[in-house]
Each structure stands twice: as C-alpha cells, then as structure tokens.
Amino acid sequence: VYDDPVAQYSSATCRREVVHHQINRYLSEKHRNKRMRSFLFFGESEDLVGRDFETIYLKLKLLRVLDLGGVRFPCEEGKKSLPEVIGDLIHLRYLGIADTFLSNLPSFISNLRFLQTLDASGNESIRQTIDLRNLTSLRHVIGKFVGELLLGDTVNLQTLRSISSYSWSKLNHEVFINLRDLEIFDSMWVDQRGVSLDLASFSKLKNLRALTLKVSTFKLSSESEETVRFQTLVELTLRCDIRRLPKDMDVIFPSLESLTLVRLRLEEDPMPALEKLQRLEDLSLTNCSYSEAKMSVSAQGFSRLNKLELF
C-alpha cells in the first residue's frame, strides 16, 4: 500500500499494489515491478501528469487487475482519452475506469480478449458504437452506453448496466441466458421512436435477478394471453409512464423482494396489487403522484415488508 509519500517504499516483488491519493508521485518515482498482477488507485479524482503512466505500464505484461477509478487522463483532441498502452495489457481480467470523465472507449479495448469486468460507470454517455465482440469472457459490463453495443458470445455475461433502450432493441435477447442484472434507460442522444418495451421482451432472461427500467414507454403487461412470469427476479426498479399496476403482480413477480417505483403517475391505488407480493421486503414510491386522497392496505397485506418509503 502506497499512501505515505515520506515513508520508504519498495515494490520490486509485490504482486498487488494499492495507491492512496498519490498516483502522480508514485508514477514519478518510476517503480519497476514486472511481477505485478493487480494495481488499484483509491482517492479523490486526480489529473494524470506527464507520460510516466505509459512508460511504466508498458512493462506490466502480467497485469490482471487494473482499477484507475477517479484518475483523469490527459486530453486528446479536446476529450479525455485512455492511454493506448492499456490495449497492450492483454491478460487483463478487470479494468476499472469509473469516474474518469471519459466520453468514449477506444477501439483497442477489443484487444483485451480475456477481460471479464469492464467498469466505466460514473462517466459521460458513450454515444459511439462500441465493439466488444472479441471479449468472449465478459461477465460484467458497466457504463452508460447510448450507441449500439456489439457483443459476441454472451453466455458468461451476468451484468449489463446501463444500456439505452435503443441499444437494447438492437441485441438478440435470447443469447443472454445467464444475465442477472440489467439496467435500461432512455437517452436524449438517440431517436427512440419505434422502440417500445414490454414484459415479453424480458421473458427470455431466465436467470434475471435485478431489473432497472428508466424509460418513457413501458407496458407492465404482455400482449399475449399467457401471463409472463419472472421466477428469479428479486429486485425491480421502474421509472416509467405507468398509470395502473397489474392486479396479478404476485403472479408475474412471485420472488420479488425489493420494488422501487419512481415518477409514476398513478390513477388507481397500487396497494391492493402490491400487498399480495408474498416475498416483498422493501417498497419505495419516490416522486410518484396519486390522484386520490388515500391508499389502503388490508390487515393480511405485505406479510414480509420491512421497509416502506413514500417520498
């Protein structure tokens, strides 16, 4: 752990290194550790100074984990950009570039064919097409992807957050057989016309456990006569234009434990539908409107509820 600029520090043989708040000083001392497998930076956002990063990390061919969350990279053509040397770290399993003010992912990301986790959360919307088809080991993809997201073999993919409804509409949903955590949002940067979501569009996701929808148009029902059931879903967040909740919520979501409803304009009391969710423990209605004066819960309702939030 490198956190005291005064203390004597040696890292010639360490496999894992953590830098606290001192990344530029650490790089300026030009540490050489060809055995390093893991490097993590923790601290407040810090501008990267000079080219020391490129000269040092070019040598770390065995690096498996690289977390640079909060590091601000130098600008190229007016935009923050990842150093190209990262594309040479072909053994990376984890790349953390959260909160780095990036607005694009360079094409050399496709060189990291063993990558399992890509965390680009907390950055600007990534609007261009991102090609991750060579990354067949991906398990977790986290960012704000507005443009088309090209994915190859998704059999290992477990987390996809967050992707625009436009991008989601371009994907073959049947291949996401192990997806457990999904977030979809509407973006002002792409034309959403012709893109509509309903429950049936998620019926192929047999292992989904957490679903977040921040979209303008969504049908919390299916066009087909057969009721769609989500046996594995335990966490659901909805920020949509929904006026009424289906009366068979307990049939659609039999395993639901946490439900968050945001900015719904409800015209009917939602409690009769919600109180039948046998496993529900957390319920939050945030910035929702309701046209009547009162909501009613029966004495037998919400048998396992621990938390109720009306905000």
Side-chain angles (χ1 to χ4, degrees):
V1 177
Y2 183 90
D3 58 0
D4 186 349
V6 179
Q8 192 69 26
Y9 177 81
S10 174
S11 65
T13 59
C14 287
R15 296 293 183 95
R16 298 170 181 84
E17 296 190 27
V18 178
V19 174
H20 286 193
H21 303 280
Q22 303 283 340
I23 192 166
N24 281 303
R25 185 182 182 95
Y26 170 88
L27 293 174
S28 69
E29 293 175 4
K30 295 182 169 51
H31 299 281
R32 295 289 185 271
N33 180 3
K34 294 182 179 180
R35 296 186 180 187
M36 194 192 300
R37 299 290 198 279
S38 176
F39 179 88
L40 302 96
F41 168 74
F42 294 118
E44 298 175 4
S45 294
E46 187 171 340
D47 285 308
L48 209 59
V49 178
R51 315 296 293 188
D52 291 324
F53 180 89
E54 298 192 15
T55 58
I56 291 175
Y57 282 85
L58 192 61
K59 311 288 185 182
L60 303 180
K61 298 297 185 183
L62 300 179
L63 202 64
R64 301 289 197 276
V65 174
L66 179 60
D67 191 344
L68 296 170
V71 173
R72 293 193 291 259
F73 299 102
C75 287
E76 290 186 10
E77 299 180 359
K79 293 183 178 180
K80 301 286 185 183
S81 181
L82 283 179
E84 289 191 15
V85 65
I86 291 178
D88 296 322
L89 304 176
I90 59 172
H91 294 292
L92 276 184
R93 266 61 169 178
Y94 181 101
L95 177 60
I97 48 175
D99 303 306
T100 52
F101 296 87
L102 292 174
S103 59
N104 70 313
L105 287 179
S107 58
F108 62 69
I109 289 289
S110 62
N111 297 346
L112 310 177
R113 55 194 183 94
F114 298 114
L115 198 67
Q116 296 177 0
T117 299
L118 173 62
D119 183 0
S121 58
N123 292 312
E124 297 179 32
S125 297
I126 299 173
R127 291 182 235 168
Q128 83 271 31
T129 297
I130 302 298
D131 190 348
L132 302 178
R133 287 175 292 187
N134 289 341
L135 282 56
T136 56
S137 299
L138 276 176
R139 296 180 185 176
H140 309 284
V141 178
I142 307 169
K144 197 166 186 180
F145 302 98
V146 172
E148 196 168 348
L149 191 62
L150 304 179
L151 297 167
D153 185 356
T154 58
V155 67
N156 296 311
L157 195 66
Q158 298 175 26
T159 305
L160 183 55
R161 290 200 313 263
S162 56
I163 180 173
S164 71
S165 50
Y166 166 81
S167 300
W168 178 251
S169 69
K170 298 291 186 181
L171 295 171
N172 177 14
H173 306 153
E174 294 185 5
V175 299
F176 294 96
I177 57 176
N178 288 310
L179 193 65
R180 296 164 63 87
D181 188 346
L182 173 64
E183 180 174 328
I184 300 176
F185 69 100
D186 276 350
S187 172
M188 59 180 287
W189 300 110
V190 290
D191 187 357
Q192 306 287 161
R193 287 177 295 183
V195 177
S196 62
L197 300 175
D198 62 12
L199 280 180
S201 63
F202 304 104
S203 61
K204 305 292 185 182
L205 310 178
K206 300 299 185 183
N207 290 299
L208 194 65
R209 292 182 59 82
L211 175 63
T212 299
L213 297 176
K214 301 176 180 178
V215 296
S216 56
T217 57
F218 175 69
K219 296 177 182 177
L220 196 55
S221 59
S222 177
E223 298 293 336
S224 64
E225 295 182 3
E226 183 179 355
T227 301
V228 178
R229 290 176 172 83
F230 292 83
Q231 300 288 350
T232 59
L233 197 70
V234 296
E235 183 179 334
L236 177 63
T237 300
L238 294 176
R239 193 179 76 187
C240 318
D241 185 11
I242 295 176
R243 307 300 175 92
R244 297 175 178 86
L245 298 180
K247 299 188 185 310
D248 57 349
M249 286 281 286
D250 57 324
V251 178
I252 301 172
F253 306 110
S255 304
L256 202 63
E257 297 175 4
S258 176
L259 176 62
T260 302
L261 303 176
V262 184
R263 296 182 186 172
L264 270 61
R265 292 180 290 176
L266 298 166
E267 296 175 350
E268 291 182 355
D269 186 353
M271 295 304 175
L274 297 177
E275 68 176 19
K276 293 188 290 184
L277 292 166
Q278 295 296 314
R279 298 190 181 184
L280 194 67
E281 297 179 3
D282 293 349
L283 174 61
S284 175
L285 277 70
T286 302
N287 292 334
C288 295
S289 64
Y290 175 50
S291 56
E292 301 298 325
K294 182 175 164 182
M295 292 180 181
S296 300
V297 180
S298 69
Q300 293 77 32
F302 295 116
S303 58
R304 295 181 61 175
L305 198 68
N306 292 324
K307 174 186 172 184
L308 174 62
E309 182 180 47
L310 304 173
F311 177 76

